[in-house]
Amino acid sequence: METKIFKPNQINQAAAAIKAGELVAFPTETVYGLGADATNEAAVKQVYQAKGRPSDNPLIVHVTGVDQVRKYAQPLPAAAEKLIKAFWPGPLTLIFELQPGALSKSVTGGLTTAAFRNPDNQPTLDLIRESGVPLVGPSANTSGKPSPTLAEHVYHDLNGKIAGILDDGPTRVGVESTVLDMSTDVPTILRPGGVTEEQLEKVIGTVRSSHHHVGAGEVPKAPGMKYKHYAPNAQVYIVDHEEDWPAALAWAGQQDGQVGVMALAATIANDRLPANAEFFTLGADMQTASHQLFAGLRHFDLESPVKSILAQGFDDQGLGAAYMNRLNKSAGQTHFTNK
């Protein structure tokens, strides 16, 4: 299969592929998603095959707005209406109870709920409208690898496996959406992301953050809760504190192979990198670090292969919760220690 690159002025061609039951990756403000007609079970099953994704890992349904959600979900609670008004389109995914039989088990993982998102990217909204159906859209990468923030990342992983990629340049946010479960008594964050807990609580009051570990025989309600995610080829080591960097860089200089270093510009500015280390800047602050995280992991996979990566850790508050959620998973919870 030839994977075509569609530009935003070729939406009709990308939509024709979706209507034909094929897969087209699309841009969002967070990461690129792998799109298929959410109402076409055969097409949805192809998403799992192309990614190598476990079939019990449910998919997020991308819509153009709340009216499309109402076709499939049970009546929405008042709190959900407030959140939709405040954050859609944007990086917030909401989980709702479904009308019986509204979506196939391939989309829901066999659950009675589904996750919906209204992405903040005009070409993708145009693609959904032109296709006439909502689109499933897990990250457009090989399952378990760092999420794609460029069309080139998608092409590397899925070339020959999907019909096309709608290329709208680099994504703006860089980490996936916040997933909020609205089917529980108290709205519960299942995955931190671009909308913080504090922002949610300003709109609807108390929300919870779930720290539930999904067991081997349990179906997760949202992506990223059960399986290995975001892992580059190299082993990632999280450097938790700025005062740990001199020891971390000394350790890097003692390694036989190349070592990648990912940190804020100011963190490394006064340190001398060892000869076998390459620096990838995470920018100036938490906002830029979140935006650059996947790009850095992809850089060391595709452009400058290394055996190890030292990555800067942050407090898991606000946007830092999303950053550390992804970084901990990419590192397999491995932290640098000088002991």
Side-chain angles (χ1 to χ4, degrees), residues 162-185:
I162 64 176
I165 303 166
L166 178 58
D167 184 359
D168 190 39
T171 62
R172 302 193 311 275
V173 177
V175 294
E176 299 94 337
S177 61
T178 302
V179 177
L180 185 68
D181 189 357
M182 299 300 295
S183 69
T184 55
D185 290 339

Side-chain angles (χ1 to χ4, degrees), residues 5-319:
I5 303 297
F6 300 114
K7 295 299 183 181
N9 63 356
Q10 297 174 305
I11 296 292
N12 59 333
Q13 297 179 41
I18 293 289
K19 292 176 183 177
E22 298 179 313
L23 309 186
V24 175
F26 57 79
T28 75
E29 76 280 23
T30 58
V31 300
Y32 275 74
L34 182 54
D37 178 353
T39 67
N40 182 334
E41 186 167 12
V44 172
K45 287 181 176 179
Q46 289 182 51
V47 170
Y48 290 97
Q49 294 169 2
K51 283 177 58 68
R53 181 185 178 95
S55 60
D56 67 345
N57 202 4
L59 302 173
I60 293 175
V61 180
H62 290 68
V63 298
T64 55
V66 67
D67 288 343
Q68 219 167 16
V69 176
R70 296 188 205 281
K71 295 180 181 179
Y72 305 97
Q74 298 278 5
L76 305 184
E81 301 278 5
K82 292 179 180 179
L83 291 169
I84 288 168
K85 184 176 180 180
F87 297 111
W88 278 16
L92 177 64
T93 294
L94 299 173
I95 294 178
F96 299 118
E97 287 287 347
L98 290 172
Q99 299 173 28
L103 291 169
S104 77
K105 292 182 179 180
S106 297
V107 174
T108 67
L111 300 173
T112 61
T113 57
F116 294 88
R117 178 158 113 76
N118 179 198
D120 189 12
N121 179 276
Q122 194 57 52
T124 288
L125 293 175
D126 292 342
L127 174 63
I128 298 171
R129 290 190 183 96
E130 184 71 19
S131 301
V133 290
L135 303 181
V136 295
S139 55
N141 58 300
T142 300
S143 189
K145 302 305 289 182
S147 297
T149 55
L150 292 170
E152 290 89 337
H153 298 161
V154 182
Y155 192 84
H156 174 269
D157 281 18
L158 300 178
N159 178 31
K161 298 180 180 180
I162 64 176
I165 303 166
L166 178 58
D167 184 359
D168 190 39
T171 62
R172 302 193 311 275
V173 177
V175 294
E176 299 94 337
S177 61
T178 302
V179 177
L180 185 68
D181 189 357
M182 299 300 295
S183 69
T184 55
D185 290 339
V186 178
T188 303
I189 297 173
L190 301 185
R191 182 182 75 183
V195 177
T196 67
E197 181 176 348
E198 292 78 11
Q199 289 175 304
L200 295 170
E201 289 188 330
K202 285 181 180 179
V203 176
I204 61 169
T206 302
V207 300
R208 290 187 306 211
S209 290
S210 174
H211 301 287
H212 172 63
H213 176 72
V214 178
E218 188 178 353
V219 178
K221 292 184 83 172
M225 295 182 68
K226 182 176 181 180
Y227 296 98
K228 184 180 180 182
H229 275 67
Y230 319 121
N233 295 327
Q235 174 61 54
V236 177
Y237 298 90
I238 302 171
V239 182
D240 291 303
H241 307 290
E242 286 199 28
E243 58 266 28
D244 296 331
W245 275 105
L249 293 176
W251 171 87
Q254 297 168 359
Q255 304 309 301
D256 292 333
Q258 289 292 109
V259 177
V261 176
M262 297 171 53
L264 297 181
T267 300
I268 302 298
N270 297 321
D271 293 307
R272 176 178 292 178
L273 286 173
N276 64 330
E278 179 185 343
F279 182 60
F280 184 94
T281 181
L282 294 178
D285 53 29
M286 184 72 262
Q287 189 81 29
T288 59
S290 296
H291 182 255
Q292 290 290 93
L293 176 61
F294 288 144
L297 296 175
R298 282 274 174 178
H299 169 79
F300 288 120
D301 257 5
L302 307 182
E303 299 174 41
S304 185
V306 297
K307 292 185 176 181
S308 306
I309 299 172
L310 295 170
Q312 185 166 356
F314 295 93
D315 291 336
D316 59 351
Q317 302 297 316
L319 192 55

